[in-house]
Amino acid sequence: MIAAQDLELHDAQLTGVEVRPTTREVAVSVRAFVGVSPNTRTKLTVLFKGVKQFTQNMDFLAMEDHSSAGNINYWSPALQAGTTYIYLVDGVIAVEHESIALT
């Protein structure tokens, strides 16, 4: 599996966000270009554990309009404890967490 620091989310598609307050987890589902095939997106889940804060703000119409081309602009992951930002076409997801994993 690819490591978080090697994942590029430019032009990825956000497919879902699951908030799990009782386990302090947030699972962000995406379809991203990974590996040698530049024309095929791979389903991935970015799993944040030990979540302290979670903020999400997005324009659903903009997300829908840009879904085929990719509705994620880029991300700035905190590879250890810290805050990860996922910048959307018109919005942002911010997660303050203890760890991050890709599944």
Side-chain angles (χ1 to χ4, degrees), residues 8-31:
E8 174 59 59
L9 287 184
H10 178 70
D11 287 340
Q13 298 168 326
L14 176 69
T15 59
V17 177
E18 182 181 351
V19 178
R20 305 170 185 159
T22 58
T23 58
R24 293 181 47 216
E25 295 179 339
V26 172
V28 178
S29 301
V30 300
R31 293 178 52 82

Side-chain angles (χ1 to χ4, degrees), residues 15-78:
T15 59
V17 177
E18 182 181 351
V19 178
R20 305 170 185 159
T22 58
T23 58
R24 293 181 47 216
E25 295 179 339
V26 172
V28 178
S29 301
V30 300
R31 293 178 52 82
F33 296 112
V34 177
V36 296
S37 179
N39 297 323
T40 304
R41 288 183 175 100
T42 301
K43 293 180 184 181
L44 296 169
T45 299
V46 182
L47 180 61
F48 300 97
K49 294 184 176 185
V51 173
K52 297 176 183 176
Q53 294 284 328
F54 168 77
T55 304
Q56 177 176 315
N57 184 353
M58 71 172 135
D59 181 320
F60 274 78
L61 295 177
M63 295 294 287
E64 180 184 34
D65 287 346
H66 292 88
S67 63
S68 64
N71 49 26
I72 298 177
N73 284 334
Y74 66 98
W75 78 322
S76 177

